[in-house]
Amino acid sequence: MAPTLTPDPLLPNPLPASPPPSAPALLKPGTAYADAWRRCLAAAPEAFRDDRVLTLRGGDWRPDGRTLPATTPVDGSPIAGAPRLDGTVAQEAVRAALDQHRAWRHTPLPERRARIAATLDALTAHRELLALLLVWEIGKPWRLALADVDRAIEGVRWYVDGIEPMLAGRSALDGPVSNIASWNYPMSVLVHAALVQALAGNAVIAKTPTDGGAACLTLAMALAAREGVPVTLVGGSGRELNQALVRAPEIGCVSFVGGRDTGADVATAVAGLGTRHILEQEGLNTWGVWDFSGWERLTAVIPGLFDYGKQRCTAYPRFVVQRSLFDAFLAAYLPAVRSVRVGHPLAVADPADPLPELDYGPLINAAKAKELTDQVAEAVDRGAVPLYRGRPDGTRFLPGQDTSAYVHPVTLLNPPPSSPLHHAEPFGPVDTIVLVDTEAELLAAMNASNGALVATLATDDRATFDRLAPQIRAFKTGHGVPRSRGDRDELFGGFGASWRGAFVGGELLVRAVTQGPAGERLPGNFPEYQLMP
């Protein structure tokens, strides 16, 4: 007979073992892609067909072009792709947008405000549907998808409430604004910009990103068009549409968000034509650590830096660390990166369960996941030291689901100079760490990509920050805290190759898409001058 164990009064009673978390078994009811598509057909039947989204030009929805095949990154199943137009149809759309622009620019501001405000009310009414589309089309977790929609609505409402002084002495451009943006923030970047441009008196053209967001953008533009806002929505290859959306003489301004290679082509085109432009491009945003001791604060912030798998222009994929602090840095960093939550954004164990709280889900597609995985393998083969590799958590995925677009966090020490991970933004959940011994090395490593959008320098000494921060080539540099693109009155831009043209944010966004006094020099990064706000 086994002896009876008497608890030791000097020791705490042992806690019962926690049951393992339940593995997800199903999609949250009502969140299937088919459910979202049916809701789109009911919400905007003019813009959707049973099997495709339509294009919007000249105020009419049309079945232009052929639809590109597409799959969701969430589980690899088929979804509606973007329409692919040829250059001739795109040029017709631009000419129609110019006709809309010539009428809209003379529409009184109170009427423009009323129509944009009505659009915001309609977006609010369909907030959860727009977010659900973002989950399926670009893989955003529910929390981040809702945030993308809310930032668009709240950001534009700020302009609606305060537009009068921003437009004092200014007028609309001579032609519509052409918007070409990446897939990662369809609402808070693309829709936000388009509605502010329209509020300022311009007709707007938006290109649907090829990699994702077709249904979300179509629904948002349909709601705007219903309120009489002059919007055009087209899709297709950048090469085929370049002549119309970038080089056409009807275009008053080109607003581009994307990579440096495509951005360089756009920059060359607009510079030769003298077209107003806003070109936001990638840069290697860095987080420097020098004479620092606030490790608990660093541990707390690391998981948030992985939001949306670092698929954002203000992500921090590079840490530049003082060599003598490396052991303390790892002690703070590794527990934090181990806590990052990755999984299927809509999978639950029970129908009554809330949607999962995740830091990110899939990358934009399986091809990007493979590219990034191959880059990591190549960097390690060439000498990078793998410090951390995340592993799938089976409790966050559906049984047997396609996970080819998912990449778990990876951390590499000293990527070799021959690797793209050494000098370019990975646009995925891969952190790289570079060790330095001097302030000169710190600055050189933080400026590795010839300009960035944001940076952070974590140092205990304010005087050290004030001395070094101006030498970091980033538009915004935080003192031990991350910086973001910003909302409402916060300005945004970039240094070096990370930005071309006018800066934006707050009043500057309105100035960038309107005409002021003769000879006005806009704040921005132009070939002939750089002017800070």
Side-chain angles (χ1 to χ4, degrees):
M1 181 176 178
T4 300
L5 298 180
T6 302
D8 187 331
L10 300 180
L11 296 176
N13 289 328
L15 295 174
S18 300
S22 299
L26 71 160
L27 289 176
K28 176 78 172 177
T31 67
Y33 180 74
D35 297 325
W37 190 258
R38 282 192 293 270
R39 292 169 64 185
C40 289
L41 289 170
E46 70 274 24
F48 293 84
R49 293 292 179 267
D50 288 341
D51 60 346
R52 65 178 297 170
V53 299
L54 304 184
T55 61
L56 175 61
R57 55 188 178 97
D60 296 324
W61 291 96
R62 307 164 187 256
D64 292 328
R66 62 184 179 88
T67 301
L68 297 174
T71 58
T72 172
V74 172
D75 62 10
S77 58
I79 61 173
R84 182 162 187 157
L85 280 63
D86 61 31
T88 301
V89 175
Q91 186 61 59
E92 293 174 1
V94 170
R95 285 194 289 266
L98 178 61
D99 291 338
Q100 290 180 307
H101 179 84
R102 287 170 172 165
W104 178 254
R105 66 179 301 186
H106 298 297
T107 301
L109 178 58
E111 183 177 344
R112 300 202 305 265
R113 287 183 60 189
R115 294 189 183 188
I116 298 298
T119 300
L120 298 178
D121 291 342
L123 293 173
T124 302
H126 293 86
R127 168 180 179 260
E128 293 195 353
L129 175 54
L130 291 162
L132 183 58
L133 292 169
L134 291 180
V135 175
W136 281 111
E137 294 190 299
I138 63 174
K140 284 201 170 182
W142 183 245
R143 170 179 60 89
L144 299 178
L146 284 174
D148 192 15
V149 177
D150 290 343
R151 285 180 63 189
I153 295 170
E154 294 164 7
V156 178
R157 205 176 294 280
W158 181 84
Y159 283 94
V160 169
D161 292 341
I163 191 63
E164 287 93 341
M166 300 184 201
L167 285 176
R170 309 191 69 81
S171 60
L173 301 173
D174 292 333
V177 181
S178 176
N179 293 272
I180 305 168
S182 57
W183 42 265
N184 54 344
Y185 284 89
M187 293 296 299
S188 63
V189 174
L190 180 50
V191 171
H192 175 279
L195 293 181
V196 175
Q197 293 159 6
L199 180 63
N202 303 289
V204 295
I205 304 167
K207 177 186 175 296
T208 302
T210 303
D211 284 329
C216 179
L217 277 175
T218 300
L219 178 58
M221 292 302 178
L223 297 175
R226 280 185 183 176
E227 302 301 336
V229 180
V231 293
T232 296
L233 182 63
V234 297
S237 161
R239 289 183 180 275
E240 292 179 6
L241 303 191
N242 179 281
Q243 189 66 35
L245 300 186
V246 175
R247 299 175 178 271
E250 294 92 342
I251 298 297
C253 176
V254 175
S255 177
F256 170 87
V257 180
R260 288 193 178 185
D261 291 343
T262 303
D265 293 340
V266 174
T268 300
V270 296
L273 297 168
T275 305
R276 182 80 61 92
H277 56 282
I278 306 161
L279 309 181
E280 176 185 333
Q281 299 167 109
E282 63 188 348
L284 185 61
N285 306 316
T286 57
W287 190 294
V289 179
W290 188 263
D291 289 343
F292 178 70
S293 62
W295 302 113
E296 290 185 0
R297 297 195 305 273
L298 181 64
T299 298
V301 80
I302 292 295
L305 300 183
F306 278 88
D307 275 356
Y308 195 35
K310 303 205 173 194
Q311 296 178 108
R312 34 194 186 97
C313 63
T314 54
Y316 286 84
R318 167 66 54 79
F319 290 89
V320 181
V321 181
Q322 190 174 6
R323 190 182 306 273
S324 61
L325 299 179
F326 185 47
D327 57 338
F329 172 84
L330 279 185
Y333 173 88
L334 290 175
V337 75
R338 291 189 187 107
S339 74
V340 172
R341 301 158 298 180
V342 185
H344 189 304
L346 301 172
V348 294
D350 185 271
D353 288 347
L355 289 170
E357 279 286 334
L358 302 174
D359 296 296
Y360 68 93
L363 301 193
I364 185 58
N365 52 47
K368 175 60 181 179
K370 183 180 185 304
E371 172 191 293
L372 199 55
T373 301
D374 289 347
Q375 288 180 354
V376 168
E378 182 180 52
V380 171
D381 286 345
R382 294 180 181 180
V385 178
L387 297 177
Y388 179 76
R389 294 181 191 265
R391 296 290 184 264
D393 180 349
T395 67
R396 299 190 186 277
F397 295 91
L398 292 175
Q401 78 163 84
D402 184 331
T403 59
S404 58
Y406 292 79
V407 174
H408 298 270
V410 176
T411 307
L412 301 179
L413 175 66
N414 291 334
S418 59
S419 168
L421 298 175
H422 178 81
H423 55 79
E425 182 180 20
F427 228 63
V430 176
D431 279 347
T432 56
I433 300 173
V434 173
L435 303 182
V436 295
D437 296 297
T438 67
E439 289 183 356
E441 290 177 318
L442 174 81
L443 292 171
M446 293 190 72
N447 292 328
S449 69
N450 182 26
L453 304 175
V454 297
T456 291
L457 178 58
T459 180
D460 293 343
D461 182 35
R462 180 73 204 196
T464 298
F465 176 82
D466 291 340
R467 177 167 48 82
L468 296 180
Q471 301 177 67
I472 299 171
R473 289 179 57 76
F475 189 78
K476 298 179 182 180
T477 301
H479 185 187
V481 296
R483 299 303 306 271
S484 69
R485 198 176 196 276
D487 294 294
R488 303 176 184 178
D489 59 350
E490 189 171 354
L491 308 182
F492 192 58
F495 285 151
S498 68
W499 195 279
R500 305 291 186 192
F503 295 147
V504 296
E507 181 185 1
L508 291 190
L509 175 54
V510 174
R511 290 176 64 182
V513 295
T514 55
Q515 299 182 86
E520 177 185 43
R521 283 160 54 99
L522 294 173
N525 185 22
F526 296 92
E528 61 274 17
Y529 73 89
Q530 182 183 87
L531 178 63
M532 292 300 296

